[in-house]
């Protein structure tokens, strides 16, 4: 049930990313609701759930990336697992560190994708990374408390089975 709900949320955020967010762009750049959600969710869950949300969000983002299929999957997976490791050492109830983490992970994702595409001889704009990271910071401010409350719901918790 938990993964089904996550998949529905991710698909909904993907639709919003590709329909609404381009209208809110600044100089052709905008943040990703889906990636911000994946990072916020990775902070409050364990490694396996972070791996799942990273791969799911990456595969969904790769659907709309024509220059290199699989790049978002790889980068999202790595960053979601790293974010999960950061989340084990912080107070998850407070939102300052998760929001700042979201900003830096968004910046790191943009740089990693830029470098991978540069190696593949694809032209991309590095200026959009900074603008997208600021957008992600703003979205994380709005999103983190809601994601934390969602992760505390009984149907989203992982039960122990022996």
């Amino acid at each position: 049930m938990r993964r089904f709900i996550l998949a529905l949320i991710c698909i909904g955020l993907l639709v919003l990313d590709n329909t609404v967010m381009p209208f809110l762009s600044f100089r052709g750049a905008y943040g990703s609701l889906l990636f911000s959600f994946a990072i916020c969710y990775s902070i409050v869950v364990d490694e396996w759930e972070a791996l799942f949300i990273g791969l799911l969000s990456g595969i969904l983002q790769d659907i709309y990336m024509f220059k290199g299929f699989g790049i978002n999957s790889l980068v999202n997976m790595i960053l979601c697992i790293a974010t999960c490791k950061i989340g084990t050492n912080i107070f998850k109830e407070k939102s300052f560190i998760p929001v700042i983490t979201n900003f830096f992970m968004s910046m790191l994702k943009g740089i990693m994708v830029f470098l991978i595409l540069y190696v593949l001889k694809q032209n991309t704009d590095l200026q959009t990374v900074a603008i997208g990271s600021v957008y992600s910071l703003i979205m994380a401010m709005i999103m983190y408390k809601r994601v934390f409350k969602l992760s505390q719901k009984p149907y989203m918790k992982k039960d122990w089975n022996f």
Side-chain angles (χ1 to χ4, degrees):
M1 179 74 168
R2 175 181 69 250
R3 291 193 174 174
F4 178 71
I5 291 171
L6 284 175
L8 287 178
I9 291 171
C10 287
I11 290 169
L13 290 174
L14 176 73
V15 169
L16 288 175
D17 268 347
N18 292 307
T19 56
V20 176
M21 292 305 290
F23 293 112
L24 302 174
S25 68
F26 178 74
R27 294 188 182 178
Y30 52 91
S32 172
L33 291 168
L34 181 57
F35 183 71
S36 292
F37 173 77
I39 294 296
C40 289
Y41 190 73
S42 295
I43 289 174
V44 296
V45 296
D46 64 348
E47 291 89 6
W48 290 106
E49 287 298 309
L51 176 70
F52 173 76
I53 195 74
L55 283 175
L56 178 65
S57 64
I59 289 169
L60 289 174
Q61 286 179 333
D62 278 334
I63 292 172
Y64 287 98
M65 185 173 182
F66 299 114
K67 293 181 181 177
F69 189 84
I71 294 173
N72 282 314
S73 300
L74 175 68
V75 173
N76 283 13
M77 179 186 66
I78 291 169
L79 294 179
C80 284
I81 291 173
T83 303
C84 178
K85 295 293 185 186
I86 292 170
T88 58
N89 299 320
I90 64 171
F91 292 111
K92 295 175 179 78
E93 296 82 16
K94 305 290 182 188
S95 63
F96 180 72
I97 299 295
V99 167
I100 296 300
T101 301
N102 199 311
F103 171 74
F104 284 114
M105 289 299 173
S106 178
M107 183 81 69
L108 189 59
K109 178 186 178 178
I111 292 169
M112 289 172 73
V113 169
F114 175 80
L115 290 174
I116 292 171
L117 290 175
Y118 181 77
V119 168
L120 295 174
K121 307 272 193 266
Q122 300 290 329
N123 294 331
T124 57
D125 186 17
L126 195 56
Q127 180 184 8
T128 60
V129 173
I131 297 170
S133 298
V134 172
Y135 267 107
S136 293
L137 176 75
I138 294 167
M139 289 185 289
M141 285 182 199
I142 297 167
M143 190 181 295
Y144 179 72
K145 287 288 187 181
R146 291 177 177 94
V147 172
F148 180 74
K149 287 178 184 176
L150 174 70
S151 71
Q152 300 302 312
K153 301 281 184 189
Y155 54 84
M156 293 299 285
K157 290 195 176 218
K158 192 174 190 177
D159 293 330
W160 286 88
N161 292 329
F162 291 103

